[in-house]
Amino acid sequence: MESDKNFAVYDYMCRSVKAHKQTEAVDLYEAFGWEATGTASSLGGVTLSFRRDRKIKHKTELNRLERKAENLKASIEKITASMSFGAMIFAYIFGCLAALVFGGGMCLCMLNPGSIPALAGGILLGLAGIALMSATYPIYKKLVAARTERLMPERDAAEEKLAVVCGQAHGLVSESV
């Protein structure tokens, strides 16, 4: 009968994350009393398996804090993605237009093969297209830097809130051990 005293019932959970976010996800969920039990490769990342003692104290509060932490994590990822999204769209459009200018120069040369003014105009238009294409990446980097500078305080505040929530959860987990 003594073996009955050591019997534990667990809650189980699986989360799919990108491979480079695996350690971060394990750290996050361990703060809420989850124990990583395994990993499996999945399409586009890794599936993590967790378990937690079903009789853990403060379970309701831990679940509430866990949802809050997941929302904060999603918010941080959304802010991080938005730092480069607008600049990326601009770079694609600007790069395509620059390539069209370059192609226009080639067309001008090829449509009037014997014309010296068309050749000179085509070369100038082609050089302008090359200059515009070359300028796309530096403009992209400046736009990303400006957006990052503007959004970094918001991201830092969200990360600080996440750290506080994880600290609260860890305190509740430590209390129940």
Side-chain angles (χ1 to χ4, degrees):
M1 287 296 166
E2 194 166 318
S3 65
D4 289 342
K5 292 180 181 178
N6 295 332
F7 182 74
V9 178
Y10 293 101
D11 286 325
Y12 293 92
M13 170 181 72
C14 290
R15 291 288 188 256
S16 294
V17 296
K18 294 181 181 174
H20 68 279
K21 301 271 187 180
Q22 178 178 347
T23 305
E24 196 175 304
V26 170
D27 289 345
L28 176 73
Y29 288 109
E30 283 181 348
F32 297 94
W34 292 99
E35 174 188 347
T37 58
T39 61
S41 295
S42 65
L43 188 62
V46 176
T47 300
L48 303 171
S49 302
F50 296 96
R51 76 177 185 180
R52 177 170 70 184
D53 188 350
R54 185 170 280 197
K55 296 178 183 176
I56 192 168
K57 292 180 183 175
H58 312 291
K59 185 176 180 181
T60 306
E61 181 66 12
L62 284 171
N63 286 338
R64 186 187 69 75
L65 289 172
E66 185 178 329
R67 280 191 304 277
K68 188 174 181 179
E70 287 173 340
N71 290 338
L72 285 167
K73 191 70 181 150
S75 173
I76 291 167
E77 288 174 3
K78 186 184 261 187
I79 292 168
T80 302
S82 73
M83 287 179 177
S84 63
F85 183 74
M88 184 175 57
I89 296 299
F90 168 80
Y92 285 144
I93 292 170
F94 189 78
C96 287
L97 293 175
L100 287 172
V101 170
F102 178 73
M106 289 177 53
C107 287
L108 189 60
C109 290
M110 294 174 74
L111 288 176
N112 301 316
S115 172
I116 299 296
L119 178 67
I123 289 172
L124 290 175
L125 203 55
L127 290 174
I130 290 172
L132 290 172
M133 284 188 282
S134 299
T136 303
Y137 186 68
I139 293 171
Y140 165 80
K141 292 300 279 181
K142 283 188 178 191
L143 289 173
V144 168
R147 180 92 171 152
T148 299
E149 186 177 324
R150 193 173 23 171
L151 291 177
M152 198 54 109
E154 185 180 338
R155 181 176 152 197
D156 288 344
E159 286 178 344
E160 187 60 35
K161 287 178 187 176
L162 179 63
V164 168
V165 168
C166 287
Q168 290 172 343
H170 182 70
L172 291 174
V173 169
S174 297
E175 224 176 84
S176 47
V177 172

